[in-house]
């Protein structure tokens, strides 16, 4: 990873401006979806991974491609299919007849931004190939650990309405994602804007022609992460995060509550959001703003409650309304 320039390292505001400029660039390709864009930026700051969920045609893949085009980093895309093998992602040893030796051929996971398209269409064996990469940021092949480049972020997509031929992600895999972002259908005006752009010649497969350019790089990310690490967290805010997570473990609607790792993730995303909004300290509203995307995939609703219309989002929203807010 390249070192930040003196100007960027000494001026966190410059790094913040670079990351905020990502929104402008992504908006050249994607209409609306501001919460998802914000989530992707927060994940970059927290060195976390993102799961994007939405029905087909809401620009999940385009969103990640636009982010990649706005960053000066290496990016690769993998279309997950039922016949995809773990080595298709991580790489494998290849025999070289000229040298009579095996050499490692790196897979697409050796990149900065990996787009895992329709991740739930591949069997658990292949899904698990990403576990070590996402958590340890390395790949072990034939007993040899091989570090992944930095920064490294997995942005995975999945379809929530089609279950035929899919393999739901296990809890251990879901827990590796820092955020689960829902990508909803656009509003009427946003959809009109999408059609107008296409009528004017916009080609989603040619983002460069749409004017999308890199506006931030590894140096900006490193400087931004250093600034986020200095964002202060009071004891009261830490207690507020813990109370929210403990309330999920006590909820009668849930069979599984948020683990301590989930609490750590919520604190991390709240700090990143606080810094992005221009503060060097966390307030309760920062925690509330990131609670849903950080926690919704870390809890399980009881089947009987699910039949009554209870959802992870409704449980978390109710908890946020009842847990006392620190003054």
């Amino acid at each position: 990873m390249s070192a930040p320039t003196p100007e960027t390292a000494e001026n966190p505001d410059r790094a913040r401006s670079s990351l905020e400029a990502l929104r402008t660039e992504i908006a050249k390709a994607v209409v609306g979806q501001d919460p998802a864009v914000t989530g992707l930026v927060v994940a970059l700051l927290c060195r976390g991974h993102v799961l994007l969920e939405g029905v087909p045609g809401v620009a999940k893949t385009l969103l990640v491609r636009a982010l990649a085009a706005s960053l000066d980093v290496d990016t690769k895309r993998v279309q997950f299919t039922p016949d995809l093998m773990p080595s298709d992602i991580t790489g494998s040893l290849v025999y070289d007849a000229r040298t009579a030796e095996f050499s490692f051929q790196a897979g697409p996971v050796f990149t900065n931004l990996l787009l895992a398209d329709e991740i739930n269409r591949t069997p658990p064996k292949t899904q698990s190939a990403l576990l070590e990469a996402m958590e340890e940021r390395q790949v072990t092949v034939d007993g040899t650990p091989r570090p992944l480049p930095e920064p490294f972020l997995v942005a995975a997509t999945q379809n929530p309405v089609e279950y035929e031929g899919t393999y739901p992600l296990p809890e251990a895999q879901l827990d590796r994602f820092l955020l689960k972002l829902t990508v909803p259908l656009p509003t009427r005006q946003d959809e009109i804007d999408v059609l107008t752009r296409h009528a004017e010649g916009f080609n989603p497969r040619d983002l460069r022609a749409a004017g999308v350019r890199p506006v931030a790089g590894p140096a900006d990310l490193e400087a931004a992460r250093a600034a986020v690490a200095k964002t202060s967290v009071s004891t009261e805010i830490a207690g507020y995060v813990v109370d929210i997570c403990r309330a999920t473990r006590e909820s009668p609607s849930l069979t599984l509550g948020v683990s301590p790792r989930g609490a750590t993730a919520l604190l991390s995303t709240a700090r990143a959001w606080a810094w992005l909004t221009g503060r060097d300290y966390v307030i309760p509203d920062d925690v509330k703003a990131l609670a849903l995307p950080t926690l919704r995939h870390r809890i399980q609703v009881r089947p009987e409650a699910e039949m009554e219309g209870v959802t992870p989002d409704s449980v978390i929203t109710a908890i946020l309304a009842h847990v006392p807010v620190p003054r």
Side-chain angles (χ1 to χ4, degrees), residues 117-180:
D117 228 347
E118 295 187 292
I119 190 173
N120 59 334
R121 286 199 174 277
T122 200
K125 181 179 180 180
T126 305
Q127 290 176 4
S128 64
L130 279 175
L131 282 174
E132 181 186 17
M134 294 171 68
E135 184 65 21
E136 306 297 334
R137 298 178 184 273
Q138 67 177 24
V139 169
T140 302
V141 176
D142 196 32
T144 303
R146 304 174 190 275
L148 295 172
E150 182 66 32
F152 173 68
L153 181 144
V154 174
T157 70
Q158 71 175 12
N159 177 356
V161 297
E162 187 177 356
Y163 296 105
E164 185 176 351
T166 63
Y167 304 84
L169 295 174
E171 292 305 317
Q173 181 90 35
L174 284 171
D175 201 41
R176 296 307 193 276
F177 288 99
L178 178 72
L179 299 171
K180 179 181 178 181

Side-chain angles (χ1 to χ4, degrees), residues 19 40 77 90 97 104 139 164 168 170 178 186 202 214 217 225-226 240 268 278 280:
L19 291 179
L40 286 168
R77 174 182 179 272
T90 60
F104 178 68
V139 169
E164 185 176 351
L178 178 72
F202 171 71
R225 289 168 177 172
Y240 182 50
S268 177
D280 60 358

Side-chain angles (χ1 to χ4, degrees), residues 272-321:
W273 176 242
W275 180 80
L276 275 173
T277 53
R279 278 179 282 102
D280 60 358
Y281 57 92
V282 179
I283 62 175
D285 283 349
D286 300 324
V287 178
K288 289 182 177 181
L290 273 299
L292 282 176
T294 308
L295 304 181
R296 59 163 59 108
H297 57 298
R298 304 176 192 270
I299 61 177
Q300 277 187 349
V301 179
R302 291 185 181 278
E304 56 269 28
E306 197 169 9
M307 292 178 63
E308 295 175 359
V310 176
T311 65
D313 283 17
S314 66
V315 172
I316 295 170
T317 301
I319 287 173
L320 291 175

Side-chain angles (χ1 to χ4, degrees), residues 48-69:
H49 309 289
V50 176
L51 179 62
L52 293 162
E53 186 175 87
V55 299
V58 291
K60 299 185 297 297
T61 302
L62 179 61
L63 184 60
V64 179
R65 289 181 54 242
L67 172 67

Side-chain angles (χ1 to χ4, degrees), residues 126-265:
T126 305
Q127 290 176 4
S128 64
L130 279 175
L131 282 174
E132 181 186 17
M134 294 171 68
E135 184 65 21
E136 306 297 334
R137 298 178 184 273
Q138 67 177 24
V139 169
T140 302
V141 176
D142 196 32
T144 303
R146 304 174 190 275
L148 295 172
E150 182 66 32
F152 173 68
L153 181 144
V154 174
T157 70
Q158 71 175 12
N159 177 356
V161 297
E162 187 177 356
Y163 296 105
E164 185 176 351
T166 63
Y167 304 84
L169 295 174
E171 292 305 317
Q173 181 90 35
L174 284 171
D175 201 41
R176 296 307 193 276
F177 288 99
L178 178 72
L179 299 171
K180 179 181 178 181
L181 305 174
T182 56
V183 185
L185 290 166
T187 63
R188 181 176 185 275
Q189 185 56 53
D190 283 345
E191 196 163 0
I192 290 173
D193 292 343
V194 169
L195 267 61
T196 301
R197 288 190 181 191
H198 280 263
E200 294 172 350
F202 171 71
N203 181 1
R205 296 174 181 82
D206 189 0
L207 296 182
R208 186 166 292 276
V212 182
R213 298 289 186 274
V215 294
D220 300 300
L221 290 177
E222 187 174 344
R225 289 168 177 172
V228 170
K230 297 177 182 177
T231 303
S232 63
V233 179
S234 67
T235 303
E236 290 76 16
I237 291 296
Y240 182 50
V241 171
V242 168
D243 289 343
I244 291 172
C245 294
R246 291 181 69 86
T248 65
R249 301 168 204 163
E250 299 166 0
S251 171
S253 299
L254 302 180
T255 58
L256 178 68
V258 177
S259 68
R261 175 157 52 186
T264 303

